[in-house]
Amino acid sequence: MTVRQVHDPVLRAALCGKSVSLQVRWRTLPGAYRRFLSSRLPPGSVGVLIRDLRTWPVLDGPPGYGFQIGSPTSGWGPAEHSGDNDAFARLLHRIGGGDWCDPDTGVTRRYAETSGEPGLEPELRRILAEHGSTGHRMLYTDPHAFSAAVADLYRALLPSRDGDAHAVVGTGRMTDPWQALDAGMVPYWCESSSRAAATAAELWLAGSRPFDRISVLPEPPGISHDRLASLPHWRSIAALARRTGTVDRLLAGRYPVLPAAPGHATGFLRHAAVASHRPELIPGAEAVRHLARHGSLTGLMIA
């Protein structure tokens, strides 16, 4: 395994100074995972490895350990995590981080904590080949392009319910893909409540065939800062619906400083369901062919 310690005052606010966040990643597939794949892969099946290729400055420690300040998920760049940045200084003041020391600018850029270990790919391909299965990889440097491609996949290949096209924009932990599919919705996921993520969702909806209904679930991050999408921004996204656009009332009332339990998204989507049963699963090969059509998008590659 490798361990990445992530110190992020933007995403974790005051908790950043009171807890330690560790990301544990497998260098090789565990035996249980290999046995699982061997028992579930019939000949002719398809395996897809998905990797985030974004990089971030990482301070190397002992073998297998790295330390990074900030994360690409937050919507802030590495150089912005500095006391000389007025916006970041204001954020630090709100969370009581006055003793901040700027990170060393001479560290090496490596794959961020959101990425898996590169060594998993050849091992996964070898297991797939042993079982007569086909391996593909989906690599992205822009998570918004990935979200758009997946949402387009579901809209194209899943039947709409009574002609009522319904999109749900989930944010951070405010998502439940299975419940969204059970509800007959097209799921679009924002990895955080950053302004960049909200703008990408808005552009995707504006460029798509209109949805009759749009539901938006903005996760309150627990702190307000300059790169955060505002509540009016989320409401403008919902307003792109042809008939009914809504921002969840509980989340809107808590946004942005009062976090909500992740289970709230499950309850919301369950009550919004218009489908009586889960739709048929999309065959893997068909899903890969559809996603490959988005291979020309900047920041996304399917091979």
Side-chain angles (χ1 to χ4, degrees):
M1 296 183 296
T2 61
V3 176
R4 178 71 55 79
Q5 183 175 345
V6 182
H7 190 75
D8 193 342
V10 178
L11 289 178
R12 296 183 60 79
L15 287 176
C16 182
K18 301 176 182 178
S19 60
V20 175
S21 177
L22 301 176
Q23 300 277 347
V24 180
R25 303 188 296 196
W26 293 106
R27 280 177 165 163
T28 61
L29 289 175
Y33 204 109
R34 290 195 297 269
R35 290 191 295 273
F36 172 80
L37 290 175
S38 298
S39 63
R40 297 298 182 98
L41 286 175
S45 58
V46 173
V48 182
L49 174 70
I50 301 172
R51 283 194 62 216
D52 183 340
L53 297 186
R54 287 177 292 180
T55 61
W56 200 262
V58 176
L59 177 65
D60 293 324
Y65 168 85
F67 177 85
Q68 73 179 58
I69 292 178
S71 166
T73 303
S74 68
W76 293 63
E80 294 178 298
H81 291 74
S82 168
D84 294 332
N85 176 9
D86 290 341
F88 189 68
R90 288 193 295 271
L91 184 147
L92 291 175
H93 178 72
R94 293 189 190 106
I95 64 175
D99 56 348
W100 178 265
C101 294
D102 286 348
D104 188 349
T105 57
V107 297
T108 304
R109 290 187 74 102
R110 302 194 184 280
Y111 290 123
E113 87 287 0
T114 52
S115 177
E117 291 293 332
L120 290 180
E121 182 177 349
E123 184 178 6
L124 180 60
R125 287 187 179 273
R126 183 172 62 253
I127 294 174
L128 292 170
E130 290 172 354
H131 291 82
S133 302
T134 304
H136 297 274
R137 60 178 179 169
M138 181 178 298
L139 310 176
Y140 64 89
T141 56
D142 182 357
H144 312 132
F146 178 55
S147 291
V150 173
D152 286 340
L153 164 71
Y154 282 114
R155 186 172 198 185
L157 299 183
L158 292 180
S160 61
R161 303 294 172 179
D162 302 323
D164 185 15
H166 190 170
V168 57
V169 178
T171 309
R173 301 175 304 160
M174 291 300 145
T175 183
D176 188 330
W178 284 116
Q179 288 292 338
L181 296 180
D182 282 348
M185 297 178 175
V186 174
Y188 180 100
W189 183 64
C190 300
E191 66 175 358
S192 72
S193 296
S194 69
R195 189 164 61 238
T199 298
E202 188 173 29
L203 290 174
W204 173 72
L205 286 164
S208 301
R209 285 183 293 112
F211 284 90
D212 298 293
R213 293 189 290 166
I214 298 174
S215 297
V216 182
L217 300 172
E219 181 180 24
I223 188 172
S224 178
H225 57 78
D226 290 25
R227 303 293 185 276
L228 190 68
S230 65
L231 189 57
H233 195 168
W234 294 115
R235 286 176 171 149
S236 72
I237 291 173
L240 291 170
R242 185 159 49 187
R243 287 186 356 219
T244 306
T246 58
V247 175
D248 179 81
R249 292 181 62 185
L250 183 142
L251 298 179
R254 289 172 170 263
Y255 194 85
V257 296
L258 298 176
H264 175 73
T266 298
F268 173 88
L269 293 169
R270 185 181 294 125
H271 287 96
V274 295
S276 58
H277 58 82
R278 182 165 294 170
E280 293 291 330
L281 295 177
I282 299 172
E286 188 174 356
V288 170
R289 283 195 297 271
H290 181 91
L291 290 169
R293 298 172 192 164
H294 292 264
S296 60
L297 288 178
T298 302
L300 180 65
M301 185 186 79
I302 297 98

